[in-house]
Amino acid sequence: MFRLILEVHPIYLLLGILVPIVTFFPLRKAYIDYRIRKLGGVRCPLIATNPIAGMPFFTSAAWNQINNTLLDFYQNMYRHATPESPDTVEISSFGVARFLLTRDPEHIKTVLTTKFGEYGKGPRFHEAWSPFLGDSIFTTDGQLWSDSRALIRPMFIKDRVRDLEIFDKWTTKLMHMMPPSGQTVDMMDLFYRMTLDVTTEFLLGHSINSLENPTHQFVEAFQEVQRIQMMLTILSPFRSFIPKHRYYGGIKVLERFIEPYIERTLSLNPAELEKLSKSDKDMTFLHNIARYTRDAKVIRDQLMAVLIAGRDTTAATLSWTIYELANYPATYRRLRNEILSTVGPTRAPRYEDLKSLTYLTHTLNETLRLYPAVPYNLRAALQDTRLPGKPGQPDIVVLKGDVVTYSTLAMQRRRDLYPEASDKFADPATFSPDRWENWTPKPWNYIPFNGGPRICVGQNFAMTEMAFTLVRILQKYARLEYRGDWHAQYHRAEIVGAPGHGVPVAFYEAQDDDDDDDAAAAAAA
């Protein structure tokens, strides 16, 4: 058979490929147009509707992902937009599904809450992510999703003493790992290692101790699996062609690490688990899930999901915060003065302390405004549905199976969503926690933890961990310097967006005269 194919003249082979393309895809487009008109809506501006036009888009997306310029690429897509649809465009390649790219807050609101039941992760996302995250809260819809959330939520609905003890333990170890005053350290590396230690202890009751063992096989596998998973998502129509040997190998490494903990927990009888549940100190996330299910795969899937959410998002946000504070010494001083006036120079903060540190909250909010932890996300249409059109414009029709890709990173950097820059409101591109004193974002213009029924269940845990860590660092250090090229920094977007150059800084411990000055400033404040 192959010999016969080789004997065919190349021009006939070319025609054999092109003729189906030039006939099928125009007919497919006409059919989609007909369905959209029948539903009484429109489609948004088109980038491509066939593989010839679509291939450069996906190739460029992969190239930009590898070269850490994904935001520029995503924003550049809107050059195809029109005044009627300035913030949503569409592309399809093989005609199986349309991909709608949006940075419109009304569209994000629609998929996350207004029409929550009509949008979900969808079967394609589940298929692509299930080797890693299984049937967890991040990959499922309907009853499976509801069951997953019910399993996870109880461990995040209250402020637990054990959480603060874990934060204190690992921030203390983090600071022991920092070099002497004035020496350079990559804080991003330390933050990623610390948050992995926090998360594994919270989940399993036993930490991987990444701070002291940064080359642990688990750490390397965790990073590799995430990197490949992001590429599989970006190149969704072509993921069958992407080599996955390292991906599956990395997942097996992760599973080999957590399986003994699952087996040990499942060996406990219900009475033993119930006794543990009454102990705020000894109860782990794993114990809590085992109270409600004895299915090892269900437990494995939820552990994987919370592991990625608990480690990367928190570490990236802390890294961006230190990066920005290093360029704004006045902001650093003001934040430190607030901490000293509330907590003092040595005492560990309590929950009520952290909640009362208003400027610290403003600082974290401002970091999450410029650098939302999950910069890109998606929802698939579970039925024929719509996205709202601009005032006076018809709705955009989204057919069952179509995918809406939204970027909080792109949306939260839209200048037109902010007031004009002034003495009271810094340029939106600038890091300025002060803006939060006189400004509140409009609903859905700022959603660092998503929104609607799928809003992050662990947001309070994450905000508490980040606030606790920053308090302990700023109590000890009076100032810091950036030791890299601040302007050369870039946004490395994988599943979570992180500083591409790390965060090389030098901290300087407070001296006695610094403490006197800080105490006076804190008292004046």
Side-chain angles (χ1 to χ4, degrees), residues 177 208 233 283 339 341 402 425 478 521:
M177 300 293 294
I208 198 170
T233 304
M283 186 69 169
I339 290 168
S341 65
D402 290 346
F425 192 88

Side-chain angles (χ1 to χ4, degrees), residues 185-495:
V185 60
D186 181 2
M187 285 305 297
M188 187 177 87
D189 175 59
L190 289 182
F191 283 145
Y192 267 80
R193 288 153 59 187
M194 182 201 78
T195 56
L196 182 58
D197 291 338
V198 168
T199 305
T200 48
E201 180 157 336
F202 171 76
L203 293 177
L204 309 173
H206 177 81
S207 173
I208 198 170
N209 199 8
S210 174
L211 276 170
E212 294 184 351
N213 187 14
T215 59
H216 194 288
Q217 189 182 24
F218 180 95
V219 178
E220 296 173 353
F222 194 57
Q223 294 174 177
E224 181 73 358
V225 168
Q226 288 188 71
R227 183 187 66 80
I228 299 172
Q229 187 70 71
M230 186 64 175
M231 189 60 68
L232 291 171
T233 304
I234 290 175
L235 295 177
S236 178
F238 309 99
R239 67 174 183 267
S240 298
F241 303 104
I242 298 175
K244 301 180 185 67
H245 173 73
R246 293 176 64 86
Y247 174 68
Y248 289 117
I251 290 171
K252 288 197 175 298
V253 170
L254 303 182
E255 290 174 338
R256 281 198 298 269
F257 178 79
I258 65 175
E259 279 171 359
Y261 296 99
I262 296 174
E263 292 171 359
R264 194 177 308 150
T265 299
L266 290 178
S267 69
L268 299 173
N269 61 48
E272 291 172 311
L273 286 171
E274 191 61 31
K275 182 179 179 181
L276 278 171
S277 72
K278 295 178 171 60
S279 168
D280 185 79
K281 184 177 179 62
D282 299 323
M283 186 69 169
T284 69
F285 182 90
L286 178 54
H287 290 139
N288 187 70
I289 295 182
R291 293 174 63 207
Y292 300 99
T293 179
R294 310 297 289 178
D295 188 324
K297 184 182 183 304
V298 170
I299 297 173
R300 173 261 186 223
D301 293 349
Q302 305 306 335
L303 285 174
M304 287 289 196
V306 177
L307 182 63
I308 189 173
R311 181 245 193 174
D312 292 59
T313 57
T314 306
T317 304
L318 282 169
S319 299
W320 285 120
T321 302
I322 294 298
Y323 164 74
E324 289 287 357
L325 286 173
N327 198 48
Y328 295 96
T331 302
Y332 186 95
R333 285 195 300 271
R334 180 177 175 185
L335 180 57
R336 185 167 190 264
N337 288 338
E338 180 190 60
I339 290 168
L340 293 179
S341 65
T342 302
V343 187
T346 58
R347 177 174 65 82
R350 299 182 291 263
Y351 274 113
E352 54 268 28
D353 296 324
L354 298 176
K355 300 303 182 186
S356 69
L357 292 169
T358 305
Y359 197 67
L360 176 57
T361 301
H362 291 341
T363 300
L364 288 170
N365 285 344
E366 181 69 354
T367 302
L368 288 165
R369 184 187 68 83
L370 284 171
Y371 310 101
V374 182
Y376 305 95
N377 214 323
L378 60 83
R379 293 291 185 270
L382 305 178
Q383 63 186 67
D384 291 348
T385 182
R386 298 164 180 265
L387 294 174
K390 292 293 183 183
Q393 298 295 324
D395 287 349
I396 296 169
V397 170
V398 185
L399 301 174
K400 181 178 180 180
D402 290 346
V403 175
V404 178
T405 299
Y406 62 94
S407 172
T408 51
L409 178 66
M411 179 189 72
Q412 291 176 190
R413 292 187 177 218
R414 280 179 51 186
R415 288 180 176 270
D416 60 307
L417 297 180
Y418 295 95
E420 291 292 327
S422 65
D423 292 340
K424 293 185 177 180
F425 192 88
D427 186 309
T430 302
F431 178 80
S432 175
D434 295 34
R435 79 174 79 247
W436 291 82
E437 295 179 351
N438 304 297
W439 168 78
T440 301
K442 293 180 180 179
W444 296 97
N445 287 10
Y446 172 76
I447 50 167
F449 294 100
N450 246 340
R454 293 186 91 130
I455 193 169
C456 175
V457 295
Q459 62 176 300
N460 182 63
F461 182 90
M463 290 293 284
T464 303
E465 180 182 356
M466 292 187 292
F468 192 100
T469 303
L470 289 171
V471 166
R472 295 309 257 166
I473 291 174
L474 269 74
Q475 282 178 310
K476 181 176 181 179
Y477 297 104
R479 62 186 180 92
L480 78 159
E481 292 178 357
Y482 195 73
R483 290 290 174 86
D485 183 348
W486 195 85
H487 297 286
Q489 188 61 270
Y490 62 91
H491 187 271
R492 188 186 74 211
E494 293 182 348
I495 297 172

Side-chain angles (χ1 to χ4, degrees), residues 59-78:
T59 302
S60 182
W63 189 91
N64 280 273
Q65 162 65 18
I66 292 169
N67 289 277
N68 301 293
T69 52
L70 198 57
L71 177 60
D72 292 338
F73 168 78
Y74 191 91
Q75 299 283 44
N76 194 42
M77 289 299 99
Y78 296 98

